[in-house]
Amino acid sequence: MSWTPVPSRPSALVLSALPALLATMLLVSPADADFPLPATPDWESDPNGHVATGLGVADLDGDGWVDLVVANGNDISRQRLVVYRNQGGGVYPADPTWSSSDVDYHGHLDLADVDGDGNLDCAVAVYLGPGGFGDPGRVKLYAGNGDGTFSDSPVWTSGDDFYCFSLSFGDLDNDGDPDLACATGDDYYNHRELRRIYRNVDGTLESLPSWTSQEEEYSLDVVWGDFNGDGEQDVAFAGTSNPNRIYFTENGVLQTSAGWSSEDASIWANTAAAGDVDGDGHLDLAIADNSQLGGNGRHKLYRNLGNGTLSAQPVWESSQGGYGSHVSFIDLDEDGDLDLATGRWWGSVQIFENQGGSLDTQPAYSSATSSVIENEVWEDADNDGLQLGIDGSFTGDGARRLYRLPERPAREILSVTIDGTSLDPAEVYLDSDDAWFVLPEAPQAGARIRVVYVSSVDLDLAVSNWDSSVGNYSFLNTGAPTGATLASLEPTTRLAAGPNPFDESLQLRLDLRGGVGRGTCEVVDPAGRRIRSWSTDGVRTVWDGRDERGRPAAPGVYWVRWTAQGVPSAVVRVTRR
């Protein structure tokens, strides 16, 4: 959310001086050895006057590289939803590769395959209506085309108007379809709202919400998670001018009255995140407070004491306060526990290290940037730490369908077996950022569940900035990945494959970018095993769908990797039916 001058708040003159003042006051520490991020971004988009707010990172075109989706506008200007396609190797263009045709005061966004066609769709919060403050917004959905673009205009818009700054996909009814939760209200001008969830009914979001809260309040963010450990999704809202609250699902029904509320004096939350900080198996709740309207503006943590009972007061707070705008959990140092990444307006990216289940109060890493941070998202933009075959094992209890994978984010589930019987991964709902998934049916008690999925040991950082004179950032991880990873890929070529999915044979075409046509094609399965390789001397070649022994390769997901002069230079993900 942006700073909006209103009566009794700082004047425009004071506001204009803040960025320079804070920049001179900012103490920047070099990147800690355990957090291998550069001090300055490897990429910055051209500002183009964009007031960047919402940010999503995902492979929108199926080429194996994650792209950036940014919603612009905030409460400052009516602007567009845009995409920056990854050109390979974590290289993004300075200007968007796609833009929506409509404009709005956009807040945050989330990505999910709502209609089940295999392409990610994009839901966007519209904070304000066309008239600005005093005119309520709504939520809307753009359909993904599978080629790095979305529908030019929304294919769905909520049937009710309300102030909405943030939203998140989850699975309210455990049916494997993404439902949409909305954080609501505008406390600048005292517009209280009911919190809302729109169910997905056969691939379409309902026009009016089937769930609303009893509390009519202000909230700026929403996060899903199984906070009481009963195998069902609960929903937490970051409250501003009122407490943070969690609504629990009991026997398949999400309660309309909050089952937990914070009780500390600082009640000006901007962002929320769920993660198990102390390793006790229970989700804790992190909050970024913002001192714009009151409070101390510190980042803080409420500990889950078990069964969804969280501490009423924070058990941890950052040593410094201010305009807190972001929190997210990530194990960037790969030591097995979750660290806390944070952001502020006119501040730096900071990471607080988890030391034996407790967060340090001073950051172990601070970027050398001072920008108006709105969102931070973690993924492997350059694929240099991608692990193709991480194995997660679980045991069924006869009732539970919701499980959490050990590595986050989880880019994709490749296979699921229950007592050796395979499920179609398309039937399993996955939340990539928080790495939880929902099975279509509850496995029997004692059943062995095995999930093979894709994650990374070398995560990079994308940042959206709403200062219209500053672009969005990408920081590429400087660490040396360990374990079985997909080799680092240089953006010298692009590899196109079709038809994809395919039945008998796959046509492959190289789009050369300073590379050479002579090289080697290699087919790799989800576990990283080589299935087939052959030499080529041109820009076109064919995989006949067979392995090295001439046997038909099993149906499923594969990666085709192109190597020229000994350097892997392109990759494409393909599916054999």
Side-chain angles (χ1 to χ4, degrees):
M1 195 172 185
S2 67
W3 182 290
T4 302
V6 295
S8 79
R9 297 179 196 166
S11 68
L13 179 62
V14 174
L15 186 63
S16 65
L18 269 173
L21 176 61
L22 291 176
T24 61
M25 295 173 61
L26 181 66
L27 298 177
V28 177
S29 62
D32 187 272
D34 291 332
F35 295 110
L37 286 181
T40 57
D42 297 274
W43 170 83
E44 180 180 349
S45 64
D46 283 346
N48 291 319
H50 290 169
V51 185
T53 303
L55 176 64
V57 181
D59 181 6
L60 301 177
D61 51 12
D63 65 353
W65 304 100
V66 291
D67 310 299
L68 304 182
V69 188
V70 182
N72 299 303
N74 210 294
D75 60 8
I76 298 174
S77 176
R78 297 182 71 210
Q79 296 184 342
R80 304 182 191 277
L81 178 73
V82 301
V83 171
Y84 299 86
R85 284 185 64 194
N86 194 329
Q87 306 299 296
V91 176
Y92 296 100
D95 296 311
T97 54
W98 174 87
S99 299
S100 65
S101 61
D102 66 324
V103 295
D104 265 314
Y105 291 106
H106 291 131
H108 287 270
L109 64 85
D110 202 6
L111 299 165
D113 182 6
V114 173
D115 54 13
D117 66 351
N119 301 323
L120 287 174
D121 309 307
C122 183
V124 185
V126 180
Y127 181 41
L128 308 173
F133 283 98
D135 186 12
R138 62 197 185 284
V139 290
K140 57 184 180 179
L141 181 75
Y142 297 84
N145 296 322
D147 59 359
T149 70
F150 296 96
S151 56
D152 288 338
S153 57
V155 297
W156 173 88
T157 302
S158 60
D160 49 345
D161 293 337
F162 58 99
Y163 298 92
C164 181
F165 188 64
S166 186
L167 45 73
S168 179
F169 281 112
D171 193 358
L172 176 65
D173 43 17
N174 272 359
D175 64 353
D177 294 325
D179 307 305
L180 187 62
C182 300
T184 60
D186 165 40
D187 63 346
Y188 282 129
Y189 291 96
N190 303 318
H191 298 296
R192 299 177 182 271
E193 298 276 11
L194 300 175
R195 296 166 178 126
R196 291 160 162 82
I197 297 179
Y198 298 83
R199 287 187 59 238
N200 185 328
V201 182
D202 298 326
T204 302
L205 294 174
E206 57 192 352
S207 177
L208 297 175
S210 58
W211 181 90
T212 56
S213 63
Q214 290 185 21
E215 293 86 356
E216 191 173 27
E217 295 180 325
Y218 314 112
S219 53
L220 287 178
D221 199 18
V222 54
V223 60
W224 299 76
D226 182 9
F227 288 93
N228 58 6
D230 64 354
E232 297 183 296
Q233 290 274 282
D234 311 309
V235 190
F237 289 88
T240 177
S241 304
N242 43 254
N244 306 299
R245 302 194 191 277
I246 298 178
Y247 297 81
F248 295 105
T249 299
E250 298 178 4
N251 299 316
V253 177
L254 182 64
Q255 303 302 296
T256 58
S257 179
W260 172 84
S261 300
S262 60
E263 296 179 5
D264 53 309
S266 186
I267 50 174
W268 310 101
N270 193 294
T271 310
D276 182 6
V277 173
D278 51 14
D280 64 354
H282 304 296
L283 286 177
D284 308 305
L285 183 66
I287 293 290
D289 267 358
N290 190 300
S291 61
Q292 177 186 170
L293 299 180
N296 57 30
R298 292 179 179 173
H299 304 295
K300 57 190 181 182
L301 180 75
Y302 300 92
R303 185 187 175 195
N304 193 329
L305 306 175
N307 299 321
T309 302
L310 275 70
S311 58
Q313 303 284 338
V315 299
W316 172 89
E317 291 187 354
S318 59
S319 59
Q320 297 177 341
Y323 306 135
S325 61
H326 175 82
V327 282
S328 59
F329 287 110
I330 197 71
D331 183 14
L332 192 62
D333 53 5
E334 290 291 320
D335 64 353
D337 54 32
L338 292 176
D339 309 300
L340 185 67
T342 68
R344 296 187 183 278
W345 301 341
W346 297 296
S348 61
V349 176
Q350 294 187 328
I351 303 176
F352 295 84
E353 187 172 8
N354 189 332
Q355 303 262 21
S358 299
L359 296 171
D360 291 340
T361 57
Q362 296 286 345
Y365 164 87
S366 294
S367 67
T369 54
S370 179
S371 60
V372 187
I373 296 170
E374 265 299 332
N375 203 3
E376 301 172 9
V377 180
W378 300 88
E379 243 287 7
D380 191 348
D382 54 8
N383 281 352
D384 65 347
L386 203 62
Q387 293 182 306
L388 303 183
I390 302 178
D391 196 339
S393 296
F394 309 88
T395 302
D397 64 3
R400 179 182 293 269
R401 296 166 59 193
L402 176 73
Y403 297 87
R404 193 168 71 245
L405 295 167
E407 299 286 340
R408 59 194 288 176
R411 184 178 294 188
E412 180 184 13
I413 288 178
L414 302 175
S415 68
V416 179
T417 57
I418 300 177
D419 283 340
T421 300
S422 296
L423 297 182
D424 182 355
E427 297 179 358
V428 179
Y429 178 75
L430 171 68
D431 182 282
S432 296
D433 290 341
D434 291 326
W436 52 261
F437 66 94
V438 179
L439 296 173
E441 295 181 359
Q444 295 181 353
R448 183 173 183 266
I449 307 161
R450 185 187 178 204
V451 180
V452 178
Y453 63 104
V454 179
S455 188
S456 176
V457 293
D458 193 83
L459 293 171
D460 310 307
L461 173 64
V463 178
S464 63
N465 295 305
W466 69 246
D467 185 336
S468 60
S469 65
V470 176
N472 304 302
Y473 294 154
S474 174
F475 296 80
L476 296 180
N477 195 313
T478 59
T482 59
T485 63
L486 191 64
S488 179
L489 303 168
E490 299 297 332
T492 57
T493 64
R494 289 185 76 88
L495 186 61
N500 191 13
F502 72 101
D503 294 308
E504 298 297 331
S505 64
L506 182 72
Q507 304 290 325
L508 299 160
R509 180 177 60 81
L510 287 166
D511 177 14
L512 299 180
R513 300 183 176 190
V516 295
R518 179 169 297 174
T520 301
C521 267
E522 183 181 22
V523 180
V524 181
D525 74 3
R529 297 180 294 249
R530 186 175 67 186
I531 299 300
R532 179 79 178 273
S533 66
W534 66 96
S535 298
T536 68
D537 58 4
V539 297
R540 296 180 183 273
T541 187
V542 176
W543 178 35
D544 60 7
R546 297 180 179 272
D547 63 16
E548 297 284 18
R549 297 185 181 182
R551 300 171 300 188
V557 174
Y558 297 90
W559 276 262
V560 181
R561 188 164 50 186
W562 169 260
T563 301
Q565 299 177 340
V567 179
S569 55
V571 66
V572 64
R573 175 189 178 280
V574 301
T575 302
R576 181 155 194 230
R577 286 191 285 236

